[in-house]
Amino acid sequence: MPDHSPAAPRLPFPETGAAWTALQETLQQAKENDVDWRAGRLAVYTYYRDDALLQVAQDAYGLYFNENALGKRAFPSLARLERELVEMGLSLFQAPPGAGGVFTSGGTESIFLAVCAARNARPVPGRPNIVCCETLHATFNKAAMFLGVDVIRTPMTAEFRADPAALAAAIDENTVMIGASAPGYAHGVFDPVAEISALAARHGLWLHVDACIGGFLNPFWPEAVPDFDFRVAGVTSLSADLHKYGYAAKGASLLLLRDAALKRHHSFDFDGWPRGAYATETFSGSRPAGSIAAAWAVVNHLGRDGYAENARLIHDAKAQLVAGIEAIPGLRVIRPSDLCMLLYTAEDPAIDLDALAERLGARGWFVGRNMKPKAIHLALNTVHAATVGPYLADLAAAVAEVRAGALRGVEDRRTY
Ligand SMILES: Cc1ncc(COP(=O)(O)O)c(C=O)c1O
């Protein structure tokens, strides 16, 4: 590994070009110590079904590698692919006629645009705010930071869900949006969207449903949660990430709106510079066309059948893991979890959870940790169907190591 410490001499800009073969080798070596997602060694950040599906995404991405989705007149096929992705999303989430949406670079951009639109659609006397449960994804605060909005987070219930009464009490004259999780990333549980929708309707408020993680999984899940999409009358907008359980290439999400006309509240249109009119519906200017083509290809390649098969694989892996973890004395699976999340903790004080996470790490597993409640966190995807056995074997061995050495670990709060 090169020395990148502050004391090391700064890397010079390359004087002459190097051959791709040499660079490829460098890249391959550089990756050697990264976590092996193909082997299911991590349950966060990446989603992987198999090489055949990956090839579909890569080939489609490659076909559009150099196009730019800013240029819809130059590349009308991209406008068509985006339109089709939005329409398929509107169908999946049962949106009424007149609904619309945009293809974005990810959950963060979809949520940014929703917060921007809610803020612009509703002028308020003071600094605007969003009301939500404490479980809503951190990126709402990020959007709020950029957009000059406050986020008021109310306590979760014992089931990790939003409490509609607490939300109601937090709403004031400056509230522009209620945010709901479907489900939240931390615990994998759904907020009571129907009840929250009634609250939003009573106050005439924008309700955004964050289905970034669950949007392309819940509709296919054996025990799908029914009331989370546009069938719930008060849902104004919904975000669903194609680059998560849609299995598309990174840089792919949908922001869907009950009324296509609401797009004007997050669109930008400017003609005050020498080059002429500049108009975009999303945050980015130049945009990768490959992620649009890859998402289009993967959705059409999998179809409902493929997504249902993926959901079944995850559902079965989760059931096996739950049974296996509960069979290890001293560990407890945290409930409820409505979808793909699996959280477990140690109820025996002889097992320090941070030490357990570290021992699992030493065995080559990338460990996600949850802070409230303190738990080991797995966001399972199809790749984990093949790793249940090795994971449980290493977990049992790691528990034994922690017990035998009375090990104590260090808390690690990072999710990034
Ligand atoms: C529920 C939820 N919302 C939003 C996001 C943010 O999505 P992204 O990382 O694609 O910006 C995530 C990411 O995991 C998520 O799980």
Side-chain angles (χ1 to χ4, degrees):
M1 276 291 265
D3 182 3
H4 290 300
S5 66
R10 180 180 290 154
L11 193 67
F13 193 83
E15 290 299 332
T16 53
W20 165 235
T21 44
L23 296 172
Q24 188 176 21
E25 208 181 303
T26 307
L27 288 176
Q28 264 154 4
Q29 279 168 7
K31 288 189 85 175
E32 266 166 22
N33 291 325
D34 291 354
V35 178
D36 188 354
W37 47 263
R38 207 182 237 105
R41 291 261 154 188
L42 80 170
V44 57
Y45 307 137
T46 59
Y47 304 80
Y48 172 63
R49 169 65 208 256
D50 54 31
D51 278 355
L53 185 61
L54 198 68
Q55 199 64 51
V56 171
Q58 281 180 344
D59 286 352
Y61 202 109
L63 271 176
Y64 279 86
F65 188 83
N66 208 31
E67 280 80 354
N68 183 344
L70 175 63
K72 297 226 170 90
R73 283 179 307 132
F75 311 116
S77 67
L78 282 170
R80 180 193 139 197
L81 300 184
E82 274 193 72
R83 199 168 49 242
E84 291 188 7
L85 278 163
V86 167
E87 283 182 21
M88 290 187 282
L90 293 172
S91 298
L92 182 64
F93 301 114
Q94 316 252 358
V102 284
F103 180 95
T104 74
S105 61
T108 294
E109 189 181 5
S110 291
I111 287 164
F112 178 91
L113 295 175
V115 173
C116 176
R119 184 199 67 174
N120 292 349
R122 186 181 176 95
V124 288
R127 190 175 151 93
N129 68 59
I130 302 168
V131 167
C132 61
C133 177
E134 61 178 308
T135 52
L136 199 70
H137 196 277
T139 205
F140 280 82
N141 280 66
K142 182 175 178 176
M145 180 196 84
F146 284 111
L147 292 163
V149 172
D150 288 331
V151 181
I152 302 171
R153 290 177 176 262
T154 62
M156 59 185 171
T157 66
E159 283 205 329
F160 317 122
R161 301 186 204 279
D163 171 3
L167 297 178
I171 292 170
D172 65 20
E173 61 179 0
N174 293 317
T175 304
V176 294
M177 169 189 266
I178 306 180
S181 303
Y185 191 80
H187 313 101
V189 302
F190 284 66
D191 283 338
V193 173
E195 271 180 80
I196 297 173
S197 145
L199 177 66
R202 267 203 309 283
H203 291 267
L205 285 172
W206 186 297
L207 171 57
H208 180 79
V209 170
D210 178 6
C212 281
I213 193 84
F216 287 92
L217 184 58
N218 180 59
F220 312 103
W221 193 249
E223 301 94 26
V225 174
D227 292 333
F228 81 107
D229 61 14
F230 289 104
R231 282 169 289 183
V232 181
V235 173
T236 317
S237 57
L238 180 148
S239 49
D241 292 354
L242 289 152
H243 66 196
K244 294 190 172 87
Y245 290 91
Y247 292 86
K250 292 279 181 293
S253 170
L254 295 174
L255 171 65
L256 303 174
L257 301 146
R258 177 175 292 278
D259 178 357
L262 293 172
K263 276 204 264 181
R264 71 183 183 283
H265 295 298
H266 62 62
S267 296
F268 180 73
D269 196 345
F270 179 70
D271 203 353
W273 68 315
R275 182 67 167 79
Y278 180 93
T280 56
E281 289 183 331
T282 56
F283 188 78
S284 310
S286 291
R287 293 193 301 146
S291 59
I292 298 169
W296 183 92
V298 168
V299 168
N300 281 298
H301 185 68
L302 284 173
R304 282 190 183 271
D305 291 357
Y307 283 111
E309 169 68 7
N310 288 352
R312 195 188 54 72
L313 283 170
I314 301 169
H315 191 267
D316 289 357
K318 182 182 172 190
Q320 289 166 29
L321 280 166
V322 165
I325 292 167
E326 288 186 330
I328 299 175
L331 298 186
R332 178 172 60 84
V333 171
I334 293 173
R335 293 188 171 79
S337 156
D338 296 329
L339 216 55
C340 51
M341 300 302 171
L342 201 174
L343 279 73
Y344 63 91
T345 191
E347 52 187 2
D348 180 344
I351 308 171
D352 180 77
L353 203 66
D354 291 315
L356 181 60
E358 288 170 11
R359 293 322 301 155
L360 276 172
R363 287 173 173 269
W365 301 94
F366 185 90
V367 183
R369 306 193 205 183
N370 198 63
M371 292 300 135
K372 197 175 168 187
K374 197 164 164 133
I376 290 180
H377 182 282
L378 300 162
L380 302 170
N381 72 82
T382 45
V383 73
H384 299 111
T387 60
V388 171
Y391 185 83
L392 289 173
D394 275 351
L395 179 58
V399 167
E401 282 166 12
V402 173
R403 281 188 190 281
L407 303 179
R408 291 276 168 249
V410 178
E411 185 171 88
D412 186 347
R413 298 182 64 84
R414 289 170 301 175
T415 63
Y416 48 87

